[in-house]
Amino acid sequence: MLILETGRDDLLKPLQAVTGIVERKHTLPILSNILLQSENGQVQLLATDLEIQIHTLGAQGAQPDFRITTNAKKLQDILRALPDSSTVQLDLADHKLTLKAGKSRFNLQTLPAQDFPTMNVDENTSAAFALPQETLKHMISQVQHSMAVQDIRFYLNGLLMQTEGNQLRLVATDGHRLAFTSATLETELPKHDVILPRKTVLELNKLLTQPKENVVVELLDNQIRFRCNDTVIVSKVIDGRFPDYNRVIPMDNKNIFVIDRLSLLGALERSSILANEKFRGVRLLVQPGSLHITCTNNEQEEASEELDIAYQGESLDVGFNITFLLDLLRNVHSDEVQLAFGSADRATLFTVPNRPEFKYVVMPMRI
């Protein structure tokens, strides 16, 4: 029975929007599948891992209405491998989904749609707001690299989203560095703190593809919902208390200079070639008029760079994880960055001139 005939991209694009959360191997085999269904000719796609759920609209013209599940990755890989201009037919018979395109034919197993588990979405909205997708995407790109990865302090394996008044703040930290950014909303909101799981942040960032269109954010009880384009993401939030980031940001560092971002990035990228592969250390020697950058490794190799800076403060010799500095400079799109040092054993504050909404704090390391 023919259930759908459509262009390859009309099925592939919405499929790519939802399959990022699908695990190839799951304790529940059906969670490796995607739910395909149609109502009144409109195809809908849904994927979940029971922590996050993504629902989007797909092709039009499905006849008759149907509900099936099939392996998400296999379907995506087949569609990717077909020529761009292919017309795709989906047939359903005897619990098998047959995909035809030209003279190509693929038979895929299905599992009963009634067995597909979905998240229970709480409809009690405690706060809701909208902002341009490009604003949220820019904010996420500035902080997401500072999220922890598989830290036993589970509340660090995500991103703090805080609303207060007309301010939206995003904060991420792995205990060694902290990134903070904020934006002004058109809505006045009570103070809310939610911690978004790492996977949710990464998937949301991929879906913010229409810069001028709004994304609607709804805070629910123990969940958060994002609506953008034709896609809805619902995610659980991390139950924990995020550290007080205000106590971490040093506002009294007196040794300050501004430097060209690309010049510093280039010097650090070249130096990183000879950095210790395990510890990734870099030494910054700050002196009146110059910044000296040094990396060494276990083979007694050394990289050295020197940059001219407008600085007349005290001399400082500070060690950092070079990856933390590269993450900052690659994701903050500005002409210049400002470095504010306290002492060699205190956190350094990186900011962008005339952009007080962004702050990046890095703890020093012994080298």
Side-chain angles (χ1 to χ4, degrees):
M1 177 179 65
L2 177 66
I3 58 173
L4 178 65
E5 182 172 349
T6 187
R8 170 241 196 197
D9 284 353
D10 291 335
L11 189 57
L12 178 58
K13 287 182 179 177
L15 186 63
Q16 289 174 323
V18 301
T19 51
I21 64 170
V22 178
E23 305 291 346
R24 287 187 181 270
K25 294 182 179 179
H26 206 288
T27 51
L28 282 176
I30 200 168
L31 288 180
S32 296
N33 283 14
I34 183 173
L35 176 64
L36 283 164
Q37 57 186 352
S38 75
E39 289 182 22
N40 301 319
Q42 173 71 67
V43 177
Q44 303 174 36
L45 299 86
L46 187 146
T48 185
D49 65 0
L50 299 183
E51 299 290 324
I52 176 176
Q53 180 168 292
I54 305 182
H55 174 270
T56 193
L57 299 180
Q60 294 272 7
Q63 292 293 336
D65 287 352
F66 64 87
R67 294 185 82 237
I68 59 170
T69 83
T70 194
N71 187 279
K73 300 294 187 185
K74 290 177 183 176
L75 179 58
Q76 179 176 265
D77 289 346
I78 291 169
L79 290 170
R80 277 179 175 165
L82 292 172
D84 293 353
S85 58
S86 298
T87 296
V88 174
Q89 289 184 340
L90 296 183
D91 290 310
L92 183 63
D94 298 327
H95 307 297
K96 276 195 169 62
L97 179 68
T98 302
L99 186 153
K100 301 175 186 175
K103 294 185 179 180
S104 301
R105 182 186 180 99
F106 306 88
N107 289 324
L108 294 168
Q109 288 284 359
T110 65
L111 290 171
Q114 61 267 27
D115 295 340
F116 191 84
T118 56
M119 290 173 58
N120 293 320
V121 181
D122 193 317
E123 293 299 334
N124 292 323
T125 303
S126 54
F129 58 92
L131 72 163
Q133 291 186 31
E134 64 180 345
T135 301
L136 184 55
K137 191 175 183 71
H138 178 65
M139 294 175 73
I140 290 173
S141 70
Q142 289 183 312
V143 301
Q144 67 174 4
H145 51 78
S146 294
M147 293 186 292
V149 181
Q150 296 181 336
D151 197 294
I152 57 172
R153 297 165 294 181
F154 57 90
Y155 49 83
L156 298 185
N157 299 319
L159 181 152
L160 174 68
M161 176 178 281
Q162 183 181 78
T163 61
E164 186 175 15
N166 65 351
Q167 292 294 300
L168 172 67
R169 305 182 186 106
L170 300 184
V171 188
T173 181
D174 59 9
H176 304 286
R177 54 174 166 174
L178 180 144
F180 168 98
T181 187
S182 66
T184 301
L185 302 173
E186 296 180 356
T187 311
E188 289 282 335
L189 297 167
K191 185 174 181 181
H192 283 284
D193 288 10
V194 294
I195 305 175
L196 311 184
R198 178 185 183 85
K199 189 173 183 180
T200 302
V201 175
L202 299 180
E203 288 304 314
L204 172 63
N205 197 41
K206 288 193 291 187
L207 292 172
L208 297 172
T209 57
Q210 304 292 327
K212 303 305 179 184
E213 297 295 321
N214 273 358
V215 52
V216 177
V217 185
E218 297 168 291
L219 306 183
L220 315 174
D221 288 344
N222 302 314
Q223 293 174 332
I224 189 166
R225 179 164 53 205
F226 300 91
R227 302 179 187 270
C228 60
N229 312 327
D230 291 324
T231 303
V232 178
I233 304 177
V234 178
S235 171
K236 293 181 179 179
V237 298
I238 296 175
D239 184 14
R241 187 175 181 83
F242 202 81
D244 182 359
Y245 58 86
N246 288 306
R247 295 177 58 187
V248 178
I249 300 174
M251 301 304 294
D252 56 350
N253 287 355
K254 305 297 185 185
N255 301 298
I256 299 172
F257 65 88
V258 174
I259 190 168
D260 180 79
R261 179 181 69 88
L262 292 178
S263 297
L264 180 57
L265 175 59
L268 288 170
E269 286 181 330
R270 292 188 293 271
S271 299
S272 69
I273 296 168
L274 297 185
N276 183 293
E277 290 185 9
K278 183 177 180 181
F279 298 107
R280 304 291 293 161
V282 61
R283 287 179 63 188
L284 301 188
L285 177 59
V286 184
Q287 295 176 314
S290 71
L291 172 65
H292 197 82
I293 298 168
T294 308
C295 281
T296 59
N297 59 31
N298 292 340
E299 285 77 41
Q300 307 301 313
E301 296 170 327
E302 180 178 278
S304 179
E305 296 268 350
E306 187 170 342
L307 298 172
D308 295 331
I309 56 174
Y311 175 75
Q312 296 301 322
E314 63 181 277
S315 295
L316 291 164
D317 189 351
V318 188
F320 295 105
N321 183 319
I322 197 168
T323 301
F324 295 170
L325 305 188
L326 292 172
D327 283 345
L328 162 72
L329 296 170
R330 288 168 177 162
N331 289 286
V332 174
H333 303 296
S334 62
D335 294 333
E336 296 177 320
V337 291
Q338 177 176 289
L339 285 68
F341 293 86
S343 59
D345 57 354
R346 288 194 61 193
T348 297
L349 176 63
F350 296 77
T351 53
V352 176
N354 303 313
R355 276 170 47 190
E357 73 277 5
F358 174 76
K359 299 178 179 67
Y360 187 71
V361 181
V362 185
M363 296 298 295
M365 68 180 289
R366 294 184 183 278
I367 298 178

